Amino acid sequence: MASSRRERSAETEQALKDAARQVFAERGYLNTKITDITAAAGRAAGSFYNHFANKEELLQALLQDLADAGDERAEQPEHNPDFSDPDAVRHHIAGYWMFAREHATVLRAISQAAIVSEDFARVFGQFGVEQRADIADHLDGLVDKGLRLPSSTDGSLAMMFLVTQGLLQVVEDGTVELTDEQAIDGLTRFVYRGLTGRDY
């Protein structure tokens, strides 16, 4: 009995998350009300508070889901952590690009939440710190080969993420027209040259 209660609870939580993604895509995070999410999930309005204290806590749960999915991606057998190999850089750029395209709705909601909430901005900022720390050792091969990074390890990785996020935003907005392949190829050349001073 307790097991089925837990299963129902997990189903409701997942339904709320799925509904949130749908409504965020349609209306944006800032214009979405909790009752919009519960209606889209087909759940009673009060059921939301059995799982999340507020809309921001739900978004933090979605952010954690992204982190978990990213961790799973990093455990793939083809993962090469040596950024002195341009193909390793391309693999990471392609993985991040496609991941961000797939989860664009949640990433856009997170950006919107960070604008209006200092607390959430800190949470999101810390998420970025942790993501960069997870791949800091990927630059070790460059340093070992005597190559000079453009900045500190963290600063260099921040540049890589920011240029990728910036290009992704203008492609998603439609102000720059690139296929995924063109964007990944261009970013790989740009990032690899920026990190190593070498052409790819």
Side-chain angles (χ1 to χ4, degrees):
M1 191 72 160
S3 175
S4 63
R5 194 178 308 123
R6 275 197 299 273
E7 287 169 7
R8 282 197 306 273
S9 177
E11 285 172 10
T12 297
E13 182 174 329
Q14 190 58 52
L16 291 168
K17 288 179 178 179
D18 292 343
R21 289 188 198 94
Q22 173 195 328
V23 181
F24 292 163
E26 293 168 0
R27 303 181 187 193
Y29 174 80
L30 299 178
N31 294 324
T32 295
K33 298 189 289 292
I34 288 170
T35 51
D36 298 329
I37 296 169
T38 54
R43 299 299 198 271
S47 68
F48 183 94
Y49 299 100
N50 294 329
H51 301 276
F52 307 105
N54 50 40
K55 192 170 65 165
E56 194 171 283
E57 191 173 287
L58 181 149
L59 191 55
Q60 287 187 27
L62 293 175
L63 181 60
Q64 184 58 53
D65 289 348
L66 291 189
D68 294 344
D71 290 345
E72 286 176 21
R73 208 176 66 242
E75 292 168 8
Q76 295 171 349
E78 67 271 17
H79 177 249
N80 177 359
D82 181 6
F83 274 17
S84 67
D85 178 352
D87 290 335
V89 174
R90 189 183 196 286
H91 174 79
H92 283 77
I93 293 283
Y96 181 75
W97 181 270
M98 298 311 293
F99 179 81
R101 291 280 266 179
E102 181 183 348
H103 300 286
T105 296
V106 174
L107 292 170
R108 198 173 304 114
I110 290 166
S111 296
Q112 292 171 357
I115 291 169
V116 298
S117 166
E118 286 184 22
D119 287 343
F120 199 84
R122 278 191 290 276
V123 168
F124 191 34
Q126 185 58 35
F127 174 76
V129 169
E130 291 165 5
Q131 295 299 299
R132 294 192 304 275
D134 283 347
I135 63 167
D137 64 336
H138 291 30
L139 301 187
D140 291 349
L142 301 177
V143 176
D144 292 346
K145 288 180 170 59
L147 296 169
R148 185 170 171 231
L149 295 175
S151 182
S152 66
T153 296
D154 191 46
S156 299
L157 290 171
M159 292 174 197
M160 181 183 85
F161 277 107
L162 288 167
V163 73
T164 303
Q165 290 164 354
L167 184 62
L168 180 66
Q169 183 174 337
V170 293
V171 169
E172 288 276 332
D173 292 345
T175 53
V176 171
E177 290 186 23
L178 291 172
T179 65
D180 289 333
E181 200 67 21
Q182 288 171 327
I184 291 164
D185 285 345
L187 283 165
T188 300
R189 287 192 295 274
F190 189 85
V191 169
Y192 185 73
R193 187 179 300 157
L195 289 175
T196 67
R198 298 175 174 175
D199 288 335
Y200 170 53

